[in-house]
Amino acid sequence: MAVRPVLRMGDPRLLQVARPVADFPSPELDALVADLHDTMAAENGAGLAAPQIGVGLRVVVFGYTASPRYPEAPPVPPTVLVNPEIQVVGDATESGWEGCLSVPGMRGLVTRPARIRYRGHTPRGELVEREAEGFHARVVQHECDHLDGILYPRRVRGLRLFGFTEPLVAAGLIPGPAPCDD
Ligand code: NI
């Protein structure tokens, strides 16, 4: 149980494809999840993936009941997913500004599928299966991208849509101090 340093863009570990968790429940997985939660809470993140703390396993945590950073965003159920999978539902896409604890102080406009179905397991081995849209769908996709070594700037269409949070807020391009550094 500890707040761990979050790796920043440029660290090659963030570019690796993470391995599935083979055997769980396990004390090791419980310890990893506790560290992810502690670190996410300390950084006010909306989500965090194991590779961001240097662990190459397919585990993500996300969700909050009220985010100080995203006061406007609807709540996302606090969730731990082991070996998550995402399926896109329909053709609709949505653009939204994203941030990432591994890319501190910046935001980029990312277009993603608007609606998804996702599944995975809790650390106890129970199946989680949900449909999500809007911000919820965005957070899950952002976190699962980390498991494939993808940081959101790779999904930004052109550097004109990528910048430092402060001037973006000052210019009115994004609302308030963005909450969701995930
Ligand atoms: Ni991130």
Side-chain angles (χ1 to χ4, degrees):
M1 319 326 105
V3 175
R4 308 257 296 255
V6 176
L7 308 187
R8 287 177 302 161
M9 185 168 69
D11 190 309
R13 287 172 288 179
L14 290 170
L15 301 176
Q16 288 169 4
V17 177
R19 302 182 309 280
V21 181
D23 249 337
F24 61 103
S26 74
E28 292 78 17
L29 180 60
D30 290 343
L32 169 61
V33 169
D35 285 359
L36 286 168
H37 276 137
D38 290 351
T39 306
M40 180 171 78
E43 304 285 348
N44 274 325
L48 193 66
Q52 291 182 275
I53 58 169
V55 177
L57 290 172
R58 303 189 79 81
V59 181
V60 299
V61 301
F62 58 84
Y64 51 84
T65 43
S67 169
R69 285 196 175 188
Y70 266 143
E72 313 275 298
V76 175
T79 304
V80 182
L81 287 182
V82 181
N83 302 337
E85 287 168 32
I86 292 179
Q87 203 184 342
V88 173
V89 178
D91 297 329
T93 59
E94 227 167 59
S95 298
W97 290 89
E98 297 189 14
C100 181
L101 294 177
S102 295
V103 192
M106 304 197 77
R107 292 291 183 279
L109 191 69
V110 181
T111 303
R112 296 187 185 272
R115 196 175 181 85
I116 59 169
R117 187 174 297 128
Y118 67 89
R119 53 180 285 163
H121 285 86
T122 71
R124 301 261 72 80
E126 295 137 352
L127 182 67
V128 177
E129 212 164 3
R130 292 187 190 133
E131 278 207 18
E133 56 186 2
F135 189 66
H136 183 177
R138 178 172 301 282
V139 170
V140 175
Q141 291 176 82
H142 177 115
E143 294 314 325
C144 290
D145 265 357
H146 278 295
L147 304 181
D148 292 327
I150 296 170
L151 298 174
Y152 82 82
R154 262 175 69 184
R155 298 205 182 274
V156 176
R157 289 184 190 157
L159 289 173
R160 289 173 63 92
L161 303 172
F162 182 54
F164 290 98
T165 307
E166 219 173 40
L168 285 167
V169 172
L173 288 165
I174 58 175
C180 178
D181 259 339
D182 48 15

